[in-house]
């Protein structure tokens, strides 16, 4: 890789070398992604077809308005409600639509093109139970499926994914010499590069990402379930794949989810294993020939390539991974570690598909290979992955942040261990006393009262857990907690480097080096925990397939709403699978028509237009996002790509407030001395000296918009720093709210990458100078300083600080608002037992020593942990 001027993203600079925007350098791994010839996308063919038929783009609907009505009906109303709506007199008399009831409406919807067709295969399962005549019992089940190759054609050929589609792998670097590699999307990781060498030169690989997860369909009563199978491809950028509205992940089948009552209870589990693999084999059968020989496909850029769809990644929770791997749940589905050694930091050999397949075949013929028991295998003689070309199902299992980290290691284990040490009452008191922070979930009643836990609660607890434990648990236990939280935060990064992967390994090593303290305290007897062992495979999976955010099991669980639960609710609850398939086909047809119309609009525009989303944000409200009612205030002169914007509301929330009001309501006790010092330094020629007679326009908050942190997101970062007085309860049921004076990090105006040189202060007042002091356009903030950050605590890893005083008063200053870098969160040093008088509202005033909470968000964590 050589030094080049930064070119447009994707521009080829030299053979094998590409320079992308944002300081990224790419080196192509191997020859791949060659175009055979030009072609036409499905949208282009459909446009020509419509022109040939003499139809406009709205047909079979009359015009744009009728299409808008049709789209709304399909997305928002069921069939009964649609019929009722179309039969309303006002609808029939005023709209005069070309369809008058639900039947005629659906007839038009069914004329729209849709994706791969659905088919049903009936499977008769013979059990080991017999009827009264001694005949074996049977159970008929249905497999609903779509051709996965056709679904891949739809995905890779969707022109709306053109700018998010990649056809060949490459290694990405942050430097022109190729010394500092980064990994984010699948095409920058190792699996694709390695696989490219196994297919013919110039071939295009479509890395298949599968996900399976059984879900409940019934609400409150009933036991109806569905077993969806989802598919996506690694060619599509993971940010696009994660957008459920983009439909970059598609449903390819419903596996049977019957109870198999024809089997005795002791055989039923194994029968379900075998039925799962049989149905998956039928569903994925088209991938065998396609993966061996390739299939010509029209891609999103309208070029034809020979595509080899190869199973790369499999997203599933731990029981599902064991089901797919044909192993017992007391074993690792990825490696051959012994059942009683999963708590040790061992480097066990990975399972080999060919070896496992051979062991199962020997067992099928009546042999008893020792490895069968040693590897904890089940008697599934025909695993669905056995004949899939070039695939390694055991490497394909990706990290599961939701079930392994957030719910598993953190909530089910770490929190439980610490509760056993601290006690429920003390733990609740510490959560109740946690200081406020914009967007932070406050557990007002502690955590013992939470009955229904979700991934959100788990993540919110992690944001404060380490600082909350300090003083309440032995120092070595705090090291264990910090190590596991470090691992969790490193694992969530969307871009990885050598440093972050080393951080993952180091955090896990620190945990293993200190975990024995939990046995010494009689908290744990052993660490033979399946989910704990899974952490040892994270670095390998990231190196092979990219960052974990591209494979999180939260996406399939979200897709259940659209592709299972909503479809079930639209059925009559009897023989629902067929109705669900038809409902989904119609939903897909309407979505594709909407996508086609968006594509037509893009084609008709001579130049691309940048659209911005209106969040309807009021800067003087508690909303998270910036919107049209804010105006930027001055920022320090910096480069455009580094520009940080500080925005205030167009009109102040508290106009013309007196100095006395600022002292009493905002707690700005040193306001006048601080303002006088500011004016002497920045307006030395000012004639007027501020006094009690002056009034100031005061704002609730400043909204800070900073450039994206590529380790976390592609979107700009936005924070709020609030400085609001207490609001007393109003008349009736209108509640009051405590004062909010947020902590903030300050610097010279340039967004820093580390905490070096940063200083913490509490923002009490955000205001502008009145006119009598002269023209001064930059907004100001009254801030009370804390001491410089001390060295991190050896156990928690958190920086310590305390309030800064000057001449027995709080050390305060007036600064420019654009010197505030971002909000920060402080956690008071609570000691062994927290002061029961501390609350979220008063703890900043009551406590004297604090920790800077580096776990409050990923951005702060990166500033603290990653150079």
């Amino acid at each position: 890789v050589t030094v080049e001027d930064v070119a447009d993203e994707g521009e080829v600079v030299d053979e094998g070398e590409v320079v992308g925007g944002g300081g990224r350098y790419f080196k192509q791994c191997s020859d791949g992604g060659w175009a055979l010839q030009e072609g036409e996308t499905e949208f282009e063919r459909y446009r020509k077809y419509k022109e040939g038929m003499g139809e406009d783009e709205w047909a079979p609907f009359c015009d744009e308005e009728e299409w808008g009505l049709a789209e709304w009906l399909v997305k928002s109303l069921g069939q009964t409600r649609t019929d009722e709506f179309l039969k309303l007199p006002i609808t029939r008399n005023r709209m005069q639509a070309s369809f008058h009831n639900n039947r005629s409406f659906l007839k038009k919807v069914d004329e729209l093109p849709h994706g791969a067709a659905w088919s049903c295969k009936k499977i008769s399962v013979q059990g080991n139970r017999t009827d009264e005549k001694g005949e074996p019992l049977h159970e008929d089940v249905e497999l609903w499926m779509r051709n996965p190759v056709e679904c891949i054609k739809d995905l890779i050929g969707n022109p709306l994914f053109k700018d998010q589609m990649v056809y060949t792998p490459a290694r990405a670097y942050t430097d022109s010499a190729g010394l500092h590699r980064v990994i984010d999307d699948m095409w920058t990781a190792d699996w694709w590069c390695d696989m490219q060498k196994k297919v013919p030169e110039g071939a295009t690989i479509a890395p298949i990402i599968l996900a399976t997860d059984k879900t409940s369909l019934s609400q409150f009563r009933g036991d109806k379930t569905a077993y969806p199978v989802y598919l996506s491809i690694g060619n599509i950028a993971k940010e696009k794949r994660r957008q459920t509205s983009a439909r970059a992940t598609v449903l390819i089948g419903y596996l049977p989810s019957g109870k198999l009552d024809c089997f005795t209870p002791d055989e039923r589990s194994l029968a379900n294993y075998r039925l799962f693999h049989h149905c998956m084999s039928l569903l994925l059968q088209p991938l065998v020939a396609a993966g061996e020989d390739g299939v010509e496909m029209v891609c999103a850029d309208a070029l034809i390539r020979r595509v080899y769809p190869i199973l790369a990644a499999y997203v599933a929770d731990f029981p599902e991974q064991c089901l797919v791997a044909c192993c017992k749940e007391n074993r690792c589905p990825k490696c051959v570690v012994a059942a009683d050694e999963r708590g040790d930091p061992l480097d066990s050999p990975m399972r080999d598909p060919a070896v496992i397949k051979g062991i199962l075949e020997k067992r099928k013929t009546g042999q008893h290979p020792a490895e069968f028991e040693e590897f904890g295998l089940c008697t599934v003689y025909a695993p669905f992955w056995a004949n899939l070309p070039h695939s390694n199902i055991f490497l394909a299992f990706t990290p599961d942040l939701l079930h392994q980290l957030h719910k598993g290691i953190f909530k089910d284990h770490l929190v439980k261990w610490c509760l056993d040490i601290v006690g429920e009452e003390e733990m609740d008191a510490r959560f109740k006393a946690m200081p406020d922070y914009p967007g932070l979930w406050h557990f007002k009643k502690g955590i013992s009262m939470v009955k229904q836990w979700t991934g959100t609660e788990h993540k919110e607890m992690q944001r404060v857990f380490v600082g909350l434990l300090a003083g309440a648990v032995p120092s070595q236990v705090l090291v264990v907690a910090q190590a596991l939280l470090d691992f969790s935060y490193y694992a969530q990064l969307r871009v990885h480097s050598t440093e972050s992967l080393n951080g993952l390994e180091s955090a896990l090593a620190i945990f293993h080096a200190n975990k024995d303290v939990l046995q010494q305290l009689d908290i744990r007897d052993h660490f033979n925990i399946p989910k704990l062992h899974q952490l040892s495979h994270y670095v390998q999976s990231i190196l092979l397939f990219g960052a974990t955010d591209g494979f999180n099991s939260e996406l399939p669980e979200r897709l259940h709403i659209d592709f299972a639960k909503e479809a079930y609710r639209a059925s009559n609850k009897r023989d629902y699978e067929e109705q669900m398939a038809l409902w989904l086909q119609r939903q897909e047809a309407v979505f594709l028509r909407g996508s086609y119309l968006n594509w037509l609009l893009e084609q008709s525009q001579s130049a691309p237009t940048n659209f911005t989303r209106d969040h309807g944000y009021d800067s003087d409200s508690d909303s998270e996002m910036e919107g049209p009612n804010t105006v930027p205030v001055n920022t320090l002169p910096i480069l455009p790509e580094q520009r940080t914007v500080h925005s205030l509301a167009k009109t102040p929330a508290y106009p013309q407030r007196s100095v006395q009001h600022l002292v009493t309501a905002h707690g700005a006790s040193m306001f006048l001395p601080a303002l006088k010092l500011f004016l002497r330094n920045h307006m030395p020629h000012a004639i007027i000296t501020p006094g009690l007679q002056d009034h100031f326009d005061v704002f609730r908050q400043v909204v800070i918009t900073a450039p994206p942190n590529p380790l976390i997101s592609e979107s700009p970062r936005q924070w709020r720093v609030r400085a609001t007085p207490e609001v007393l309860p109003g008349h009736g049921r209108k509640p009051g709210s405590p004062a909010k004076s947020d902590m903030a990090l300050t610097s010279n105006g340039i967004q820093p990458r580390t905490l070096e040189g940063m200083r913490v202060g509490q923002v009490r007042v955000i205001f502008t100078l009145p006119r009598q002091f002269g023209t001064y356009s930059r907004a100001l903030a009254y801030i009370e300083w804390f001491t410089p950050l001390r060295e991190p605590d050896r156990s928690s890893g958190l920086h310590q600080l305390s309030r800064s005083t000057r001449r027995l008063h709080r050390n305060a200053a007036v600064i420019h608002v654009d010197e505030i870098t971002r909000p920060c969160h402080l956690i008071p040093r609570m000691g062994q037992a927290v002061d029961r008088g501390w609350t979220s509202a008063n703890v900043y005033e009551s406590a004297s020593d604090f920790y800077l909470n580096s776990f409050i968000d990923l951005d702060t964590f990166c500033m603290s942990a990653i150079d």
Side-chain angles (χ1 to χ4, degrees):
V1 182
T2 57
V3 178
E4 300 282 353
D5 292 332
V6 174
D8 291 336
E9 188 167 359
E11 178 186 340
V12 177
V13 178
D14 198 356
E15 184 177 356
E17 299 178 27
V18 177
V19 179
R24 285 282 193 92
Y25 295 81
F26 303 100
K27 184 173 183 180
Q28 188 171 318
C29 292
S30 181
D31 289 334
W34 291 0
L36 304 179
Q37 58 186 0
E38 292 186 1
E40 290 182 336
T41 65
E42 198 67 38
F43 286 174
E44 290 171 329
R45 289 197 297 270
Y46 187 65
R47 178 171 61 178
K48 289 186 177 180
Y49 165 78
K50 298 283 283 184
E51 291 172 351
M53 296 293 293
E55 298 177 344
D56 63 17
E57 64 267 33
W58 311 111
F61 302 99
C62 294
D63 50 32
E64 181 178 3
E65 290 184 351
E66 188 170 286
W67 155 248
L69 172 63
E71 187 177 30
W72 177 77
L73 289 173
V74 168
K75 291 182 177 180
S76 304
L77 298 186
Q79 297 190 36
T80 302
R81 292 291 180 88
T82 298
D83 219 31
E84 293 174 355
F85 176 79
L86 293 176
K87 290 180 179 179
L88 289 173
I90 191 172
T91 305
R92 303 185 70 167
N93 297 333
R94 295 193 182 182
M95 290 189 177
Q96 297 183 349
S98 60
F99 42 86
H100 59 280
N101 57 25
N102 184 65
R103 183 177 179 181
S104 60
F105 169 63
L106 293 181
K107 189 175 180 180
K108 285 183 174 290
V109 172
D110 290 339
E111 294 180 32
L112 298 174
H114 54 78
W118 285 90
S119 64
C120 176
K121 185 173 183 62
K122 294 187 179 295
I123 301 170
S124 180
V125 182
Q126 179 178 310
N128 65 340
R129 295 178 60 191
T130 58
D131 58 17
E132 60 275 8
K133 298 180 181 179
E135 296 292 329
L137 290 176
H138 291 75
E139 186 170 331
D140 293 330
V141 297
E142 291 182 348
L143 168 63
W144 284 87
M145 55 187 180
R146 302 203 291 173
N147 189 325
V149 176
E150 294 301 316
C151 292
I152 292 170
K153 285 183 179 179
D154 291 340
L155 288 172
I156 204 168
N158 189 335
L160 293 182
F161 295 156
K162 178 181 177 181
D163 295 334
Q164 292 86 30
M165 190 77 67
V166 174
Y167 305 103
T168 184
R171 292 187 184 273
Y173 303 91
T174 57
D175 66 309
S176 59
L179 300 178
H180 301 284
R181 186 184 176 193
V182 290
I183 297 174
D184 50 10
D185 264 299
M186 184 183 283
W187 60 277
T188 66
D190 292 340
W191 178 90
W192 198 338
C193 284
D194 296 339
M195 193 57 60
Q196 195 71 49
K197 302 170 186 175
K198 299 179 181 180
V199 296
E201 187 179 22
T204 300
I205 292 177
I208 297 173
I209 304 168
L210 288 180
T212 54
D213 182 40
K214 185 181 290 188
T215 184
S216 174
L217 298 175
S218 307
Q219 285 186 317
F220 309 117
R221 61 187 178 88
D223 57 353
K224 298 291 191 295
T225 59
Y227 209 149
V229 182
Y230 302 109
L231 178 146
S232 189
I233 53 176
N235 310 79
I236 304 172
K238 55 188 172 72
E239 280 75 16
K240 179 61 68 173
R241 294 201 309 269
R242 291 204 310 270
Q243 297 174 12
T244 55
S245 59
R247 299 211 176 198
T249 300
V250 297
L251 178 71
I252 63 170
Y254 287 122
L255 302 179
S257 57
K259 297 181 179 179
L260 296 187
D261 291 329
C262 57
F263 286 90
T264 55
D266 59 325
E267 291 291 327
R268 195 169 296 150
S269 176
L270 179 59
N272 273 306
Y273 265 52
R274 291 173 172 172
L275 178 61
F276 170 87
H277 281 272
H278 177 65
C279 292
M280 287 291 287
S281 297
L282 295 174
L283 177 62
L284 302 180
Q285 181 61 34
L287 294 176
V288 177
E292 289 175 346
D293 305 324
V295 178
E296 289 190 4
M297 298 184 185
V298 180
C299 297
D301 57 1
L303 297 176
I304 298 175
R305 295 177 175 87
R306 180 162 289 275
V307 178
Y308 288 73
I310 299 172
L311 176 59
Y314 202 111
V315 181
D317 58 19
F318 180 76
E320 193 93 2
Q321 290 182 6
C322 294
L323 166 65
V324 173
C326 306
C327 72
K328 299 175 182 177
E329 291 189 17
N330 66 343
R331 302 302 178 100
C332 173
K334 293 178 70 71
C335 72
V336 294
V337 65
D340 58 351
E341 295 180 344
R342 289 173 296 174
D344 300 324
L346 303 176
D347 188 15
S348 302
M350 301 298 291
R351 292 177 183 264
D352 186 296
V355 172
I356 300 297
K357 183 180 176 182
I359 296 171
L360 294 174
E361 288 175 349
K362 288 181 181 179
R363 184 62 180 244
K364 183 179 180 180
T365 60
Q367 302 179 52
H368 296 276
E371 296 89 349
F372 184 86
E373 296 296 336
E374 182 183 345
F375 294 168
L377 298 178
C378 299
T379 52
V380 178
Y381 302 126
F384 74 84
W385 41 262
N387 297 319
L388 292 177
H390 308 300
S391 65
N392 184 328
I393 192 64
F394 308 113
L395 289 178
F397 297 130
T398 56
D400 179 5
L401 298 185
L402 175 62
H403 298 99
Q404 291 172 358
L405 278 180
H406 301 315
K407 182 181 184 300
I409 295 301
F410 178 72
K411 176 60 175 64
D412 294 343
H413 295 292
L414 180 60
V415 172
K416 182 180 182 300
W417 301 338
C418 294
L419 274 171
D420 291 343
I421 298 173
V422 177
E424 194 174 88
E425 181 181 352
E426 177 65 21
M427 187 72 80
D428 283 347
R430 288 172 175 258
F431 272 104
K432 292 176 185 177
M434 190 56 54
D436 189 28
Y437 179 84
L440 177 65
W441 192 316
H442 181 220
F443 293 89
K444 297 179 181 179
K445 299 180 180 179
I447 60 172
S448 62
M449 301 299 291
V450 179
K451 303 301 181 185
Q452 186 70 34
W453 288 94
T454 67
T456 300
E457 282 93 348
H458 301 150
K459 295 173 189 176
E460 290 296 318
M461 286 177 63
Q462 291 177 41
R463 299 177 70 181
V464 300
F465 200 65
V466 171
L468 174 144
L469 290 178
V473 298
S475 59
Q476 203 172 357
V477 175
L478 196 58
V479 171
V480 168
Q482 186 215 351
L484 291 179
L485 266 296
D486 278 349
F487 189 96
S488 176
Y489 275 58
Y490 276 119
Q492 295 175 60
L493 298 180
R494 63 173 291 275
V495 178
H496 281 280
S497 62
T498 302
E499 289 76 15
S500 65
L501 295 178
N502 288 342
L504 274 172
E505 292 182 328
S506 175
L508 192 57
I510 291 172
F511 166 79
H512 283 297
N514 292 273
K515 66 185 179 185
D516 291 344
V517 67
L518 297 171
Q519 290 179 308
Q520 297 167 12
L521 295 171
D522 294 327
I523 301 300
R524 286 291 303 182
D525 295 328
H526 63 85
F527 293 94
N528 192 30
I529 303 169
K531 292 175 182 177
L532 177 60
H533 170 75
Q534 294 300 306
L535 305 189
S536 65
H537 297 301
Y538 271 48
V539 171
Q540 180 194 42
S541 290
I542 292 169
L543 287 171
L544 284 174
F545 302 114
T548 59
D549 64 326
F551 308 99
N552 202 341
S553 61
E554 291 184 51
L555 176 60
E557 294 202 359
R558 171 61 183 83
L559 293 174
H560 288 337
I561 299 174
D562 296 331
F563 293 125
K565 300 179 187 294
E566 292 291 343
Y568 175 74
R569 294 183 190 125
S571 72
N572 62 12
K573 315 301 186 291
R574 295 185 297 273
D575 298 325
Y576 53 85
E577 291 93 344
E578 181 177 3
Q579 299 173 56
M580 290 169 66
L582 180 57
W583 184 85
L584 287 169
Q585 181 172 291
R586 286 168 173 160
Q587 293 285 325
E588 184 179 53
V590 170
F591 174 80
L592 288 175
R593 172 51 65 90
S595 300
Y596 168 72
L597 293 173
N598 288 336
W599 175 78
L600 281 180
L601 180 63
E602 289 183 1
Q603 297 297 303
S604 65
Q605 294 172 339
S606 57
T609 302
N610 294 324
F611 295 96
T612 56
R613 183 178 298 276
D614 181 1
H615 295 285
Y617 172 78
D618 180 358
S619 180
D620 277 341
S621 73
D622 285 333
S623 173
E624 294 279 353
M625 307 297 291
E626 182 188 358
N629 291 326
T630 61
V631 292
V633 297
N634 289 47
T635 58
L636 297 181
I638 48 182
L639 299 176
E641 62 269 18
Q642 300 173 322
R643 181 175 171 80
T644 297
V645 178
H646 295 67
S647 302
L648 299 178
K650 292 181 179 178
T651 56
Y654 311 109
Q656 295 297 300
R657 289 300 190 261
S658 67
V659 172
Q660 188 59 40
H661 175 84
L662 300 183
V663 172
T664 57
H666 290 261
S669 58
M670 302 297 292
F671 182 80
L672 277 180
L675 181 59
K676 290 176 182 178
L677 179 61
F678 175 87
L679 292 177
R680 281 201 301 270
N681 293 333
H682 293 84
M683 301 181 69
H685 303 296
I687 302 174
I688 301 177
T689 300
L692 293 175
Q693 73 282 358
D694 293 310
H695 291 72
F696 300 84
D697 287 340
V698 178
F699 298 81
R700 291 181 187 270
Q701 63 186 5
V702 57
V703 178
I704 304 171
T705 304
N709 181 345
L711 296 175
I712 300 169
S713 173
E714 289 185 340
S715 303
R717 295 169 289 171
Q718 282 197 332
W719 301 289
R720 293 180 300 150
V721 176
R722 304 163 300 178
T724 61
E726 179 184 7
V727 177
L728 299 176
H731 297 290
R733 300 178 62 183
K734 187 175 181 180
S737 63
K740 295 181 175 63
S741 298
D742 287 334
M743 301 293 172
L745 292 173
T746 64
S747 70
N748 58 2
I750 298 176
Q751 279 291 323
R753 295 183 58 189
T754 68
L755 292 174
E756 184 178 357
M758 304 286 283
R759 191 164 184 187
V760 177
Q762 186 174 22
V763 180
R764 295 284 190 177
V765 187
I766 300 171
F767 65 101
T768 54
L769 283 178
R771 293 183 178 179
Q772 64 262 29
F773 294 101
T775 302
Y776 202 82
S777 59
R778 295 169 72 179
L780 305 176
Y782 171 84
I783 192 168
E784 294 177 348
W785 294 117
F786 282 69
T787 58
L789 298 177
R790 297 193 282 273
E791 287 298 313
D793 177 67
R794 296 184 63 180
S795 301
S796 66
L798 303 179
H799 291 275
Q800 301 179 65
L801 68 167
S802 55
R803 284 197 178 272
S804 174
T805 58
R806 186 178 183 184
R807 297 177 182 176
L808 302 180
H809 295 283
R810 290 186 176 180
N811 185 9
V814 170
I815 65 172
H816 297 110
V817 161
D818 51 34
E819 293 178 52
I820 299 174
T821 299
R822 51 152 299 156
C824 65
H825 187 238
L826 303 186
I827 297 179
R829 293 184 62 181
M830 301 181 186
Q832 191 170 358
V834 66
D835 187 330
R836 294 302 194 266
W838 287 0
T839 67
S840 176
N842 69 20
V843 67
Y844 275 151
E845 303 303 316
S846 303
S848 56
D849 297 302
F850 300 85
Y851 295 105
L852 176 64
N853 183 11
S854 59
F855 294 99
I856 191 63
D857 55 33
L858 274 174
D859 196 77
T860 308
F861 176 79
C862 291
M863 293 176 66
S864 176
I866 300 177
D867 190 346

